[in-house]
Amino acid sequence: MKVFAGGISTETNTFSPMPTGMRDYTIIRPDDDVEKGTKPAFDQFQSDTEARGWDYVFGMSAHSQPAGITTRSTYESLRDELLERLEAAMPVDIVLLGLHGAMVADGYDDCETDIIDRVRQIVGPEVKIGVELDLHCDVTQAMIDTADAIVLYKEYPHTDVAARASDLFNIIADAAEGKTNPTMALFDCRMIGLYLTPYEPLRSFVDELLAMEGKDGILSISLVHCFPWGDVPTCGAQALAITDGDPDQAARVAQEIGRRFHGMRRELDQTPYSIDEALEQALADPAGPVVIADRADNAGGGAPSDSTFMLKAMLDRGIDNAGIATMWDPIAVQVAMSGGVGANLDIRLGGKMGPMSGDPLDLTVKVTAIAEDMYQEWPQQHGDPMRIPCGDSVCLNCNGIDIIVSSKRGQPMSPDVFTKLGVDVKKKHILVVKSSQHFYAGYAPIASQIIYMAAPGAVAPRYTEIPFKRVDLHKYPWVEDPFA
Ligand SMILES: [Zn+2]
């Protein structure tokens, strides 16, 4: 057997003020030498393929930090390169695609359906196509009609990228050997939101789904969480089931799981705190560090991550033992690096990307640390931690608040972003992370409590405030009981 693997991935926030162009994509080609943890799904596909004694061909992978719509020329150029590499590898028996599932390009509402469709046209009807997606995706009927198996991450934070890649590999490999015949079905849960898997009732539900797989003809069950900041007609939560040769069973399982997911909607719908509420609750906690998630400015959801609302509120209150990460401001990083460690500078920080970022702050800061080409490690269930580049990064102290500023836009996935710049996170009373949930795996073990906050920003955490124009909103929370 010969396996070809590749993919293009980003999550498109159609409300983000920033386009996604070629220079935003990190492209890994077969001859590129990359550090461990850079492409965990593909490393898993490779080791699983080699464990069966089969041939593995890595085509390419292209990934961009989420932002706005990908430009048409960028998407078409990346897609065509991936397809050319597949054509050059033909004949193959299996194609494994690592995609995101919420990628929108100019002229393409649904890049993943386009890619899967074109792959099918190249390989013909017999070759098995398996797709791994981020759970913040939209799965279309066209995708399940064209691919043989689609498996999503189950965990949010996504600590199971390699684990689910291995699940997908096994389903597709068994199908290619003729042992199974995967059949897929979808159920529309008629809701939109973000669903956090470390908390009940979802924690137990996800564990139950994992336990159901591999028994009674059920090959895989995925919850399609959806990505709420993509204004495309397919946006919405779903359940996806794969069974062995029984489409009716797949439809039954998808409906049963989807109905139960829908039944949890009110419990899953946490109302986030305002800035003032979050700070008051944090200041009332005698322990610490209290971790406050500034979800609206999460780079991982396509926000600029240079908003100043929270930093200004902390400075105005005179909070003097806190940290905040990660502010994207390449100009401020350049100025701080020119000044060097120990420099006292008057600096204009943040607030540059538009009204959703607030006003820039004119601050007097001390440069306390500089790290060139910094990276952070994000813990994963299987294999190496994921390696995430931060670019050049600095720590600026302003009245006791350590502000982590980076030249590369990205959310603080782990406490590395503080500790690598000399900040002792356990001694801070408040740590603000510009992240929706991916921070959780690294910060929960050190946090006295976690507070989810809704400041203004491009990833507004109150769903009914998202200015959708193209989504049918006969869904929760716009409609209390959409199945009534
Ligand atoms: Zn995601």
Side-chain angles (χ1 to χ4, degrees):
M1 293 269 183
K2 184 173 172 186
V3 176
F4 175 90
I8 304 165
S9 68
T10 190
E11 180 180 75
T12 302
N13 180 329
T14 59
F15 306 105
S16 173
M18 301 167 296
T20 307
M22 190 59 88
R23 49 179 293 136
D24 298 302
Y25 280 87
T26 301
I27 304 169
I28 305 171
R29 296 186 171 88
D31 292 335
D32 293 334
D33 194 16
V34 295
E35 303 278 351
K36 277 184 179 176
T38 306
K39 51 178 177 52
F42 296 107
D43 291 345
Q44 187 68 45
F45 291 151
Q46 180 170 6
S47 64
D48 285 350
T49 301
E50 288 169 356
R52 294 208 184 202
W54 297 349
D55 294 328
Y56 180 81
V57 179
F58 172 65
M60 65 176 279
S61 102
H63 171 74
S64 170
Q65 184 69 249
I69 290 172
T70 290
T71 65
R72 186 173 193 130
S73 61
T74 298
Y75 170 61
E76 291 178 345
S77 155
L78 292 171
R79 177 197 68 194
D80 293 350
E81 180 178 346
L82 176 66
L83 297 175
E84 279 160 23
R85 289 177 181 276
L86 170 60
E87 279 172 334
M90 290 292 287
V92 303
D93 304 286
I94 289 172
V95 176
L96 298 173
L97 297 171
L99 308 176
H100 185 287
M103 178 177 180
V104 182
D106 181 16
Y108 299 87
D109 273 350
D110 177 1
C111 295
E112 289 81 6
T113 297
D114 181 54
I115 293 168
I116 296 166
D117 203 41
R118 287 169 192 268
V119 167
R120 179 59 79 198
Q121 285 172 35
I122 291 168
V123 299
E126 303 302 325
V127 169
K128 300 301 176 196
I129 301 176
V131 184
E132 185 182 26
L133 299 176
D134 188 296
L135 53 76
H136 296 118
C137 67
D138 307 314
V139 178
T140 62
Q141 187 62 40
M143 284 162 72
I144 69 169
D145 289 344
T146 310
D148 293 282
I150 299 174
V151 171
L152 277 56
Y153 311 156
K154 283 190 173 60
E155 304 292 346
Y156 183 36
H158 307 328
T159 53
D160 61 339
V161 175
R164 298 291 83 79
S166 198
D167 292 352
L168 174 70
F169 177 86
N170 288 322
I171 291 169
I172 287 291
D174 288 349
E177 288 185 320
K179 294 177 186 166
T180 56
N181 177 25
T183 52
M184 291 191 277
L186 277 171
F187 179 79
D188 180 354
C189 301
R190 298 190 195 172
M191 56 189 198
I192 285 177
L194 278 191
Y195 310 108
L196 313 183
T197 58
Y199 301 104
E200 295 296 353
L202 207 47
R203 177 69 264 146
S204 298
F205 193 46
V206 170
D207 289 338
E208 192 184 332
L209 302 185
L210 284 162
M212 288 170 73
E213 292 177 336
K215 293 182 196 125
D216 307 322
I218 297 172
L219 301 179
S220 172
I221 304 171
S222 293
L223 298 178
V224 181
H225 290 214
C226 85
F227 177 61
W229 296 275
D231 190 12
V232 288
T234 47
C235 180
Q238 302 180 87
L240 167 65
I242 311 178
T243 57
D244 184 7
D246 189 342
D248 292 339
Q249 185 196 15
R252 276 198 311 277
V253 171
Q255 172 158 359
E256 184 209 315
I257 297 303
R259 286 275 189 177
R260 287 180 58 196
F261 190 25
H262 180 82
M264 299 171 185
R265 63 193 181 283
R266 293 185 192 88
E267 291 164 274
L268 298 175
D269 194 15
Q270 302 169 327
T271 303
Y273 287 72
S274 67
I275 289 177
D276 284 339
E277 289 165 346
L279 285 175
E280 271 153 36
Q281 173 145 337
L283 291 168
D285 185 336
V290 178
V291 175
I292 302 176
D294 181 358
R295 303 178 84 178
D297 201 28
N298 171 21
S305 67
D306 74 334
S307 89
T308 54
F309 302 105
M310 184 56 164
L311 178 56
K312 181 168 189 309
M314 289 198 292
L315 290 166
D316 287 349
R317 281 176 180 255
I319 289 171
D320 61 1
N321 183 22
I324 181 168
T326 304
M327 181 81 81
W328 179 50
D329 192 333
I331 298 171
V333 170
Q334 200 172 320
V335 169
M337 289 178 81
S338 295
V341 172
N344 292 295
L345 302 170
D346 292 324
I347 203 161
R348 175 160 284 194
L349 185 66
K352 295 185 172 68
M353 289 307 299
M356 284 186 281
S357 296
D359 294 328
L361 300 180
D362 290 308
L363 306 176
T364 300
V365 300
K366 181 178 185 117
V367 183
T368 60
I370 294 173
E372 289 183 35
D373 271 332
M374 194 170 85
Y375 67 91
Q376 47 182 330
E377 292 195 335
W378 193 31
Q380 292 285 301
Q381 289 175 0
H382 273 207
D384 299 307
M386 207 182 287
R387 182 186 165 96
I388 296 162
C390 309
D392 294 334
S393 303
V394 299
C395 180
L396 307 177
N397 187 280
C398 182
N399 301 337
I401 301 178
D402 284 317
I403 309 163
I404 307 301
V405 191
S406 285
S407 63
K408 190 172 173 63
R409 200 168 54 87
Q411 63 183 305
M413 317 286 266
S414 94
D416 284 2
V417 294
F418 287 107
T419 56
K420 287 191 172 185
L421 287 161
V423 178
D424 186 345
V425 286
K426 288 182 183 161
K427 290 193 176 151
K428 290 290 175 190
H429 189 201
I430 296 174
L431 293 171
V432 177
V433 289
K434 291 175 177 285
S435 174
S436 293
Q437 174 67 357
H438 285 338
F439 72 89
Y440 183 93
Y443 288 85
I446 59 163
S448 65
Q449 62 171 310
I450 290 172
I451 297 171
Y452 294 93
M453 180 181 75
V459 192
R462 294 192 177 95
Y463 311 112
T464 52
E465 294 173 7
I466 301 173
F468 286 115
K469 288 194 174 72
R470 303 180 61 206
V471 179
D472 171 7
L473 295 177
H474 189 73
K475 293 180 170 72
Y476 184 82
W478 292 265
V479 177
E480 186 58 31
D481 189 1
F483 285 109

PDB file of all heavy atoms in Angstrom, residues 11 100 133-137 153 155-158 194 225-227 300 378 411 438, ligand 1:
ATOM      1  N   GLU A  11      -8.203  28.715  10.067  1.00  0.00           N
ATOM      2  CA  GLU A  11      -9.579  28.919  10.523  1.00  0.00           C
ATOM      3  C   GLU A  11      -9.907  30.361  10.180  1.00  0.00           C
ATOM      4  O   GLU A  11      -9.211  31.268  10.625  1.00  0.00           O
ATOM      5  CB  GLU A  11      -9.596  28.697  12.042  1.00  0.00           C
ATOM      6  CG  GLU A  11     -10.909  28.851  12.725  1.00  0.00           C
ATOM      7  CD  GLU A  11     -10.703  28.597  14.215  1.00  0.00           C
ATOM      8  OE1 GLU A  11     -10.160  29.467  14.906  1.00  0.00           O
ATOM      9  OE2 GLU A  11     -11.073  27.513  14.680  1.00  0.00           O
ATOM     10  N   HIS A 100      -8.465  21.961   8.168  1.00  0.00           N
ATOM     11  CA  HIS A 100      -9.075  22.548   9.362  1.00  0.00           C
ATOM     12  C   HIS A 100     -10.575  22.347   9.375  1.00  0.00           C
ATOM     13  O   HIS A 100     -11.145  21.809  10.319  1.00  0.00           O
ATOM     14  CB  HIS A 100      -8.736  24.036   9.482  1.00  0.00           C
ATOM     15  CG  HIS A 100      -9.238  24.625  10.757  1.00  0.00           C
ATOM     16  ND1 HIS A 100     -10.573  24.869  10.981  1.00  0.00           N
ATOM     17  CD2 HIS A 100      -8.601  24.954  11.900  1.00  0.00           C
ATOM     18  CE1 HIS A 100     -10.729  25.340  12.200  1.00  0.00           C
ATOM     19  NE2 HIS A 100      -9.564  25.403  12.780  1.00  0.00           N
ATOM     20  N   LEU A 133     -10.023  16.772  10.795  1.00  0.00           N
ATOM     21  CA  LEU A 133     -10.414  18.177  10.918  1.00  0.00           C
ATOM     22  C   LEU A 133     -10.333  18.633  12.366  1.00  0.00           C
ATOM     23  O   LEU A 133     -10.514  17.839  13.299  1.00  0.00           O
ATOM     24  CB  LEU A 133     -11.861  18.386  10.432  1.00  0.00           C
ATOM     25  CG  LEU A 133     -12.196  18.055   8.979  1.00  0.00           C
ATOM     26  CD1 LEU A 133     -13.696  18.247   8.747  1.00  0.00           C
ATOM     27  CD2 LEU A 133     -11.406  18.929   8.019  1.00  0.00           C
ATOM     28  N   ASP A 134     -10.117  19.931  12.542  1.00  0.00           N
ATOM     29  CA  ASP A 134     -10.293  20.596  13.832  1.00  0.00           C
ATOM     30  C   ASP A 134     -11.796  20.544  14.154  1.00  0.00           C
ATOM     31  O   ASP A 134     -12.623  20.644  13.252  1.00  0.00           O
ATOM     32  CB  ASP A 134      -9.842  22.043  13.671  1.00  0.00           C
ATOM     33  CG  ASP A 134      -9.781  22.830  14.959  1.00  0.00           C
ATOM     34  OD1 ASP A 134     -10.839  23.038  15.584  1.00  0.00           O
ATOM     35  OD2 ASP A 134      -8.678  23.268  15.312  1.00  0.00           O
ATOM     36  N   LEU A 135     -12.151  20.412  15.421  1.00  0.00           N
ATOM     37  CA  LEU A 135     -13.587  20.356  15.749  1.00  0.00           C
ATOM     38  C   LEU A 135     -14.297  21.691  15.512  1.00  0.00           C
ATOM     39  O   LEU A 135     -15.523  21.743  15.435  1.00  0.00           O
ATOM     40  CB  LEU A 135     -13.799  19.854  17.178  1.00  0.00           C
ATOM     41  CG  LEU A 135     -13.064  20.551  18.336  1.00  0.00           C
ATOM     42  CD1 LEU A 135     -13.679  21.866  18.697  1.00  0.00           C
ATOM     43  CD2 LEU A 135     -13.042  19.618  19.550  1.00  0.00           C
ATOM     44  N   HIS A 136     -13.538  22.793  15.363  1.00  0.00           N
ATOM     45  CA  HIS A 136     -14.158  24.091  15.051  1.00  0.00           C
ATOM     46  C   HIS A 136     -14.331  24.209  13.538  1.00  0.00           C
ATOM     47  O   HIS A 136     -13.684  25.029  12.875  1.00  0.00           O
ATOM     48  CB  HIS A 136     -13.292  25.231  15.581  1.00  0.00           C
ATOM     49  CG  HIS A 136     -13.199  25.219  17.059  1.00  0.00           C
ATOM     50  ND1 HIS A 136     -12.022  25.053  17.744  1.00  0.00           N
ATOM     51  CD2 HIS A 136     -14.169  25.309  17.999  1.00  0.00           C
ATOM     52  CE1 HIS A 136     -12.263  25.062  19.047  1.00  0.00           C
ATOM     53  NE2 HIS A 136     -13.560  25.202  19.233  1.00  0.00           N
ATOM     54  N   CYS A 137     -15.169  23.348  13.009  1.00  0.00           N
ATOM     55  CA  CYS A 137     -15.277  23.258  11.555  1.00  0.00           C
ATOM     56  C   CYS A 137     -16.746  23.157  11.158  1.00  0.00           C
ATOM     57  O   CYS A 137     -17.634  23.085  12.003  1.00  0.00           O
ATOM     58  CB  CYS A 137     -14.536  22.005  11.072  1.00  0.00           C
ATOM     59  SG  CYS A 137     -15.293  20.467  11.595  1.00  0.00           S
ATOM     60  N   TYR A 153     -10.908  16.309  15.873  1.00  0.00           N
ATOM     61  CA  TYR A 153     -10.405  16.330  17.243  1.00  0.00           C
ATOM     62  C   TYR A 153     -11.613  16.215  18.171  1.00  0.00           C
ATOM     63  O   TYR A 153     -12.694  16.707  17.866  1.00  0.00           O
ATOM     64  CB  TYR A 153      -9.702  17.645  17.592  1.00  0.00           C
ATOM     65  CG  TYR A 153      -8.663  18.148  16.629  1.00  0.00           C
ATOM     66  CD1 TYR A 153      -8.357  19.509  16.594  1.00  0.00           C
ATOM     67  CD2 TYR A 153      -7.974  17.296  15.781  1.00  0.00           C
ATOM     68  CE1 TYR A 153      -7.389  20.008  15.733  1.00  0.00           C
ATOM     69  CE2 TYR A 153      -7.010  17.791  14.917  1.00  0.00           C
ATOM     70  CZ  TYR A 153      -6.735  19.150  14.887  1.00  0.00           C
ATOM     71  OH  TYR A 153      -5.789  19.660  14.026  1.00  0.00           O
ATOM     72  N   GLU A 155     -11.083  16.995  21.648  1.00  0.00           N
ATOM     73  CA  GLU A 155     -10.776  17.794  22.833  1.00  0.00           C
ATOM     74  C   GLU A 155     -10.619  19.272  22.493  1.00  0.00           C
ATOM     75  O   GLU A 155     -10.000  19.621  21.486  1.00  0.00           O
ATOM     76  CB  GLU A 155      -9.473  17.289  23.483  1.00  0.00           C
ATOM     77  CG  GLU A 155      -9.469  15.822  23.860  1.00  0.00           C
ATOM     78  CD  GLU A 155     -10.430  15.492  25.002  1.00  0.00           C
ATOM     79  OE1 GLU A 155     -10.915  16.423  25.680  1.00  0.00           O
ATOM     80  OE2 GLU A 155     -10.690  14.297  25.197  1.00  0.00           O
ATOM     81  N   TYR A 156     -11.169  20.115  23.370  1.00  0.00           N
ATOM     82  CA  TYR A 156     -10.951  21.550  23.273  1.00  0.00           C
ATOM     83  C   TYR A 156     -10.563  22.042  24.651  1.00  0.00           C
ATOM     84  O   TYR A 156     -11.431  22.151  25.484  1.00  0.00           O
ATOM     85  CB  TYR A 156     -12.207  22.253  22.765  1.00  0.00           C
ATOM     86  CG  TYR A 156     -12.039  23.740  22.568  1.00  0.00           C
ATOM     87  CD1 TYR A 156     -10.833  24.276  22.110  1.00  0.00           C
ATOM     88  CD2 TYR A 156     -13.076  24.620  22.844  1.00  0.00           C
ATOM     89  CE1 TYR A 156     -10.688  25.642  21.941  1.00  0.00           C
ATOM     90  CE2 TYR A 156     -12.930  25.993  22.663  1.00  0.00           C
ATOM     91  CZ  TYR A 156     -11.734  26.493  22.221  1.00  0.00           C
ATOM     92  OH  TYR A 156     -11.589  27.841  22.045  1.00  0.00           O
ATOM     93  N   PRO A 157      -9.284  22.274  24.953  1.00  0.00           N
ATOM     94  CA  PRO A 157      -8.144  22.477  24.053  1.00  0.00           C
ATOM     95  C   PRO A 157      -7.757  21.224  23.263  1.00  0.00           C
ATOM     96  O   PRO A 157      -7.941  20.112  23.743  1.00  0.00           O
ATOM     97  CB  PRO A 157      -7.004  22.886  24.997  1.00  0.00           C
ATOM     98  CG  PRO A 157      -7.357  22.259  26.315  1.00  0.00           C
ATOM     99  CD  PRO A 157      -8.863  22.337  26.380  1.00  0.00           C
ATOM    100  N   HIS A 158      -7.210  21.460  22.052  1.00  0.00           N
ATOM    101  CA  HIS A 158      -6.935  20.361  21.126  1.00  0.00           C
ATOM    102  C   HIS A 158      -5.654  19.618  21.511  1.00  0.00           C
ATOM    103  O   HIS A 158      -4.608  19.798  20.899  1.00  0.00           O
ATOM    104  CB  HIS A 158      -6.801  20.892  19.701  1.00  0.00           C
ATOM    105  CG  HIS A 158      -7.953  21.729  19.241  1.00  0.00           C
ATOM    106  ND1 HIS A 158      -9.237  21.515  19.673  1.00  0.00           N
ATOM    107  CD2 HIS A 158      -8.018  22.769  18.378  1.00  0.00           C
ATOM    108  CE1 HIS A 158     -10.041  22.398  19.094  1.00  0.00           C
ATOM    109  NE2 HIS A 158      -9.332  23.173  18.314  1.00  0.00           N
ATOM    110  N   LEU A 194     -19.182  27.839  21.516  1.00  0.00           N
ATOM    111  CA  LEU A 194     -17.891  27.214  21.809  1.00  0.00           C
ATOM    112  C   LEU A 194     -18.136  26.265  22.962  1.00  0.00           C
ATOM    113  O   LEU A 194     -18.755  26.656  23.955  1.00  0.00           O
ATOM    114  CB  LEU A 194     -16.855  28.246  22.260  1.00  0.00           C
ATOM    115  CG  LEU A 194     -16.090  29.078  21.243  1.00  0.00           C
ATOM    116  CD1 LEU A 194     -14.950  29.800  21.951  1.00  0.00           C
ATOM    117  CD2 LEU A 194     -15.556  28.274  20.087  1.00  0.00           C
ATOM    118  N   HIS A 225     -18.163  21.028  16.435  1.00  0.00           N
ATOM    119  CA  HIS A 225     -18.512  22.156  17.323  1.00  0.00           C
ATOM    120  C   HIS A 225     -18.937  23.392  16.539  1.00  0.00           C
ATOM    121  O   HIS A 225     -19.620  24.244  17.078  1.00  0.00           O
ATOM    122  CB  HIS A 225     -17.328  22.527  18.212  1.00  0.00           C
ATOM    123  CG  HIS A 225     -17.010  21.511  19.266  1.00  0.00           C
ATOM    124  ND1 HIS A 225     -16.536  21.863  20.506  1.00  0.00           N
ATOM    125  CD2 HIS A 225     -17.083  20.158  19.279  1.00  0.00           C
ATOM    126  CE1 HIS A 225     -16.323  20.768  21.235  1.00  0.00           C
ATOM    127  NE2 HIS A 225     -16.650  19.716  20.502  1.00  0.00           N
ATOM    128  N   CYS A 226     -18.471  23.538  15.322  1.00  0.00           N
ATOM    129  CA  CYS A 226     -18.619  24.715  14.441  1.00  0.00           C
ATOM    130  C   CYS A 226     -17.647  25.812  14.852  1.00  0.00           C
ATOM    131  O   CYS A 226     -17.072  25.773  15.950  1.00  0.00           O
ATOM    132  CB  CYS A 226     -20.041  25.260  14.351  1.00  0.00           C
ATOM    133  SG  CYS A 226     -20.527  26.423  15.638  1.00  0.00           S
ATOM    134  N   PHE A 227     -17.461  26.788  13.956  1.00  0.00           N
ATOM    135  CA  PHE A 227     -16.622  27.950  14.267  1.00  0.00           C
ATOM    136  C   PHE A 227     -17.514  29.183  14.172  1.00  0.00           C
ATOM    137  O   PHE A 227     -17.916  29.588  13.084  1.00  0.00           O
ATOM    138  CB  PHE A 227     -15.436  28.059  13.295  1.00  0.00           C
ATOM    139  CG  PHE A 227     -14.610  29.279  13.544  1.00  0.00           C
ATOM    140  CD1 PHE A 227     -13.967  29.451  14.768  1.00  0.00           C
ATOM    141  CD2 PHE A 227     -14.478  30.277  12.585  1.00  0.00           C
ATOM    142  CE1 PHE A 227     -13.228  30.592  15.027  1.00  0.00           C
ATOM    143  CE2 PHE A 227     -13.733  31.415  12.841  1.00  0.00           C
ATOM    144  CZ  PHE A 227     -13.103  31.570  14.055  1.00  0.00           C
ATOM    145  N   GLY A 300      -5.997  32.875  17.944  1.00  0.00           N
ATOM    146  CA  GLY A 300      -6.401  31.574  17.420  1.00  0.00           C
ATOM    147  C   GLY A 300      -7.806  31.576  16.845  1.00  0.00           C
ATOM    148  O   GLY A 300      -8.201  30.634  16.164  1.00  0.00           O
ATOM    149  N   TRP A 378       3.276  23.094  23.471  1.00  0.00           N
ATOM    150  CA  TRP A 378       1.887  22.888  23.866  1.00  0.00           C
ATOM    151  C   TRP A 378       1.676  21.408  24.142  1.00  0.00           C
ATOM    152  O   TRP A 378       1.843  20.577  23.248  1.00  0.00           O
ATOM    153  CB  TRP A 378       0.982  23.354  22.723  1.00  0.00           C
ATOM    154  CG  TRP A 378      -0.453  23.503  23.085  1.00  0.00           C
ATOM    155  CD1 TRP A 378      -0.973  23.841  24.293  1.00  0.00           C
ATOM    156  CD2 TRP A 378      -1.573  23.334  22.206  1.00  0.00           C
ATOM    157  NE1 TRP A 378      -2.339  23.911  24.217  1.00  0.00           N
ATOM    158  CE2 TRP A 378      -2.733  23.599  22.952  1.00  0.00           C
ATOM    159  CE3 TRP A 378      -1.703  22.985  20.856  1.00  0.00           C
ATOM    160  CZ2 TRP A 378      -4.003  23.523  22.401  1.00  0.00           C
ATOM    161  CZ3 TRP A 378      -2.961  22.920  20.317  1.00  0.00           C
ATOM    162  CH2 TRP A 378      -4.109  23.189  21.086  1.00  0.00           C
ATOM    163  N   GLN A 411      -1.628  32.991  20.140  1.00  0.00           N
ATOM    164  CA  GLN A 411      -2.165  32.993  21.504  1.00  0.00           C
ATOM    165  C   GLN A 411      -1.196  32.292  22.455  1.00  0.00           C
ATOM    166  O   GLN A 411      -0.388  31.460  22.030  1.00  0.00           O
ATOM    167  CB  GLN A 411      -3.536  32.326  21.547  1.00  0.00           C
ATOM    168  CG  GLN A 411      -3.532  30.856  21.171  1.00  0.00           C
ATOM    169  CD  GLN A 411      -4.925  30.263  21.157  1.00  0.00           C
ATOM    170  OE1 GLN A 411      -5.645  30.333  22.139  1.00  0.00           O
ATOM    171  NE2 GLN A 411      -5.301  29.666  20.043  1.00  0.00           N
ATOM    172  N   HIS A 438      -7.424  27.302  24.440  1.00  0.00           N
ATOM    173  CA  HIS A 438      -6.214  26.500  24.257  1.00  0.00           C
ATOM    174  C   HIS A 438      -5.207  26.692  25.389  1.00  0.00           C
ATOM    175  O   HIS A 438      -4.369  25.837  25.634  1.00  0.00           O
ATOM    176  CB  HIS A 438      -5.559  26.803  22.907  1.00  0.00           C
ATOM    177  CG  HIS A 438      -6.286  26.184  21.755  1.00  0.00           C
ATOM    178  ND1 HIS A 438      -7.115  25.104  21.916  1.00  0.00           N
ATOM    179  CD2 HIS A 438      -6.310  26.489  20.436  1.00  0.00           C
ATOM    180  CE1 HIS A 438      -7.615  24.777  20.743  1.00  0.00           C
ATOM    181  NE2 HIS A 438      -7.162  25.599  19.831  1.00  0.00           N
TER     182      HIS A 438
HETATM  183 ZN    ZN B   1     -10.104  24.597  16.975  1.00  0.00          ZN
END
